[in-house]
Amino acid sequence: MKYIAEPFKIKVVEPLRMTTAEERREAMERAYFNGFALRAEEVYIDLQTDSGTGAMTNTQWAAIMVGDESYSGARSYYHLMKVAEDLFGYAYNQPVHQGRAAEKVVFPVLTKPGQYWLSNTFFDTTRGHVGLAGGRPVDLVCPEGLDTSTYADFKGDADVEAMERFIVEHGVDQIAGIVMTITNNTVGGQPVSVGNLRAVRALADQYGLLVILDAARFAENAMFVKQREAEFADSTIEQITRESFAQADLFIMSAKKDAIVNMGGMIGVRDNEEIVGKLKSNVIAFEGYLTYGGLAGRDLEALAVGLREALDEDYLRYRLGQGQYLGARLEKAGVPFQNPVGGHGVFVDAGKLLPHIPWQQFPGHALAVELYLEAGIRSCDIGSLLMDRDPVTHEPQQAPAEFTRLAIPRRVYTQAHLDVVADALEAIAARADQVPGYEITWEPPVLRHFTAHLRPVKP
Ligand code: F0G
C-alpha cells in the first residue's frame, strides 16, 4: 500500500515535545492511568480524536478575519446558509456550537416518553441525548459490522430487516424514528451505502417515520460510496452528498469532523415548518439567537469555507489513504483491526491482540495506556470501559467489541508519524502477553471513561 502524498504544503507548524519513558510513566501514574487526564503537552502523537483537531486551510484562516460579529443577521450567517442550501438541499439550516448541541435541541422535540429510536449505531453523546429526551436508543447494525476480521464494503449499514421486525414487534406508535450515522463511528468509522440509506427511507415511508442523518463524517462517507458503490463511480462528492441527504428528513452534524473547524455544528430540516418552529425555541434557549447559534461570526465563516473544501476529492483520497496506509502496516505486523479501515482512523481489535485480558479489565483501554507508555501516543478505548454500567442494575456491561481507536486528525500528521504509531504497536504485539489489564479505583455515575481512575491489575 503506497502512501498517498499530501495534496497541500505546510505553512505553519506547531512544535511537539519529546518525552522519555520515565516521564511518560510518571505522567500516566499522575493521570490515574486515564489518557483524558494527561496534559496534551505530555503527548507526542495525539490520536485521541479527529474532532476539532484538524488543520484548517489558509482560506479558512483568511475567512476568520472577515467573520462578521453582528449579534443578528451577520453576513457570515448568510454565507453559511448559502453553502448549506447548495450542498444539502434542505429548506432550513441552523448553526449550533457542536454536534451534541444539535442533539440537545432536536431529540426533545421529536421524542415522546418511552419511544424507541432505531439506528445503524448511535454515537455515545447521541445515545445519551436520546435517553435524556426520554427515548430508548436501539442499535441495529448489519451483521458484518461486528465481524472485525472479514472485509465488507459497507459495514456501517443498518440491518433494515431487523429494523422492520422491531417496528412490527413493538408497534409503530412506540417508534420515534430512525437515526443513520454516516460514517458509523462506533463500529469503526465504517461507511453506509446510499443503497442502505434508500432502503431505510423506504421503510420509514412505509411506517410514517422520520429519518435523521447524524452526518459528522458525510464527506468521508461520500468518498467511500464513490469508491465502492458502482452506481456512483462517476458521481461527484457533491452529488453523492445530495443523494444521501435526500433520504432523510433532518440532519444533525458535528462540524468538528469533516467540515474541519475547531468548533461548530449544524441542524437541517428538509421541509417541515412545524418541526422548525419547535427547534427554533430550543436553539434560542440553549444556543443563542438563530443567526449565530452559539458560534462566533468568525466560526460561521470558517465553517462555510470548510464545508465546501471538505468535498475535494484529492484531499479525501489522501485522507482515507492515511488510515489505509496505517492499516496495511498493522496487517503486516499481525496486529488485528476492524477490516477494512474506517474513514477517520484505525480501530485496533484489542480483544484479539490481548486475549489474556478479560473484558472486565478493559483490553481496549489497556492497549491505549501501553501505546502511551511505549511512544507517547494517545488513543482511546471504544469498548467495555466506554460502556457505562447498566443504569438499573449497575452491573458492568460488555461492549460488542474491544477496540482501541487510533483516530487520525485531518491534515495534522505525516507518514513518518504514522510509522511511529505502527512501530510502537508492532513492539507491543511482540510482548502482548505482558500487557496488564486495568481495574477502576474510582468512577462517576455516568460517562465514566472521561474521568475514571484506574490501576494496572497485577497478573
Ligand atoms: N455524532 C457523531 C457520529 C460523533 O462522532 C460525534 C463526536 C458527535 C455526534 C458529537 O459531536 O463532539 O461535536 O458534540 N465524536 C467525537 C469523537 C467526540 O471523538 O468521535 P460533538
Side-chain angles (χ1 to χ4, degrees), residues 253-275:
M253 179 188 289
S254 168
K256 301 168 70 171
K257 284 81 170 174
D258 277 4
I260 323 192
V261 288
N262 301 119
M263 192 54 73
M266 292 205 63
I267 299 169
V269 182
R270 186 145 59 94
D271 179 18
N272 188 321
E273 289 289 330
E274 193 193 330
I275 291 177

Side-chain angles (χ1 to χ4, degrees), residues 139-433:
D139 292 334
L140 293 169
V141 72
C142 64
E144 308 86 273
L146 297 174
D147 172 5
T148 61
S149 55
T150 316
Y151 179 98
D153 280 339
F154 290 103
K155 284 188 168 181
D157 280 358
D159 186 338
V160 180
E161 283 171 24
M163 283 183 170
E164 175 149 34
R165 279 198 300 275
F166 194 97
I167 296 167
V168 171
E169 195 176 311
H170 290 82
V172 71
D173 296 347
Q174 291 302 306
I175 315 293
I178 301 174
V179 176
M180 291 297 288
T181 312
I182 63 169
T183 56
N184 192 334
N185 185 354
T186 310
V187 304
Q190 297 295 313
V192 177
S193 63
V194 173
N196 191 249
L197 292 175
R198 285 176 181 154
V200 166
R201 173 77 269 165
L203 178 71
D205 284 344
Q206 192 185 332
Y207 291 96
L209 296 172
L210 286 174
V211 178
I212 302 181
L213 275 191
D214 182 354
R217 300 180 179 86
F218 72 97
E220 290 166 9
N221 199 77
M223 191 66 192
F224 278 124
V225 165
K226 186 178 168 85
Q227 292 172 341
R228 297 179 186 174
E229 201 169 353
E231 177 186 341
F232 297 98
D234 300 320
S235 305
T236 63
I237 300 303
E238 189 163 348
Q239 286 164 338
I240 297 168
T241 298
R242 266 282 188 147
E243 184 62 14
S244 304
F245 278 67
Q247 309 312 316
D249 302 290
L250 287 90
F251 74 83
I252 50 180
M253 179 188 289
S254 168
K256 301 168 70 171
K257 284 81 170 174
D258 277 4
I260 323 192
V261 288
N262 301 119
M263 192 54 73
M266 292 205 63
I267 299 169
V269 182
R270 186 145 59 94
D271 179 18
N272 188 321
E273 289 289 330
E274 193 193 330
I275 291 177
V276 169
K278 291 180 186 162
L279 294 181
K280 282 180 175 172
S281 308
N282 276 358
V283 170
I284 294 177
F286 299 140
E287 290 290 281
Y289 186 64
L290 301 172
T291 63
Y292 73 88
L295 292 170
R298 54 182 171 273
D299 296 331
L300 300 172
E301 200 69 47
L303 174 51
V305 175
L307 276 174
R308 268 206 197 290
E309 291 182 349
L311 308 178
D312 180 66
E313 283 187 30
D314 289 334
Y315 154 69
L316 286 170
R317 208 168 291 115
Y318 143 82
R319 162 74 179 153
L320 300 184
Q322 273 208 320
Q324 285 156 1
Y325 172 80
L326 180 55
R329 281 228 38 202
L330 296 187
E331 190 160 7
K332 225 165 144 196
V335 175
F337 56 89
Q338 171 66 298
N339 177 30
V341 170
H344 64 297
V346 179
F347 285 56
V348 177
D349 191 335
K352 280 208 186 109
L353 183 66
L354 308 171
H356 60 287
I357 302 180
W359 65 267
Q360 295 91 337
Q361 294 177 13
F362 316 124
H365 182 76
L367 182 60
V369 172
E370 202 66 21
L371 252 183
Y372 178 74
L373 296 174
E374 174 73 26
I377 297 157
R378 180 155 66 172
S379 54
C380 72
D381 170 83
I382 304 275
S384 294
L385 177 62
L386 183 76
M387 288 291 280
D388 271 324
R389 286 171 185 275
D390 184 286
V392 180
T393 66
H394 300 289
E395 286 300 312
Q397 305 186 90
Q398 183 175 11
E402 304 295 342
F403 287 129
T404 303
R405 184 180 76 168
L406 310 172
I408 306 178
R410 293 169 182 77
R411 300 186 291 226
V412 171
Y413 294 116
T414 64
Q415 179 176 15
H417 287 121
L418 298 182
D419 282 333
V420 172
V421 176
D423 290 345
L425 275 162
E426 194 171 345
I428 294 168
R431 54 173 165 78
D433 58 346

Side-chain angles (χ1 to χ4, degrees), residues 23-33 38 373 454:
E23 284 172 326
R24 293 195 290 276
R25 164 69 53 186
E26 273 170 29
M28 252 311 165
E29 279 173 12
R30 192 175 6 89
Y32 296 99
F33 294 93
L38 291 170
L373 296 174
L454 298 105

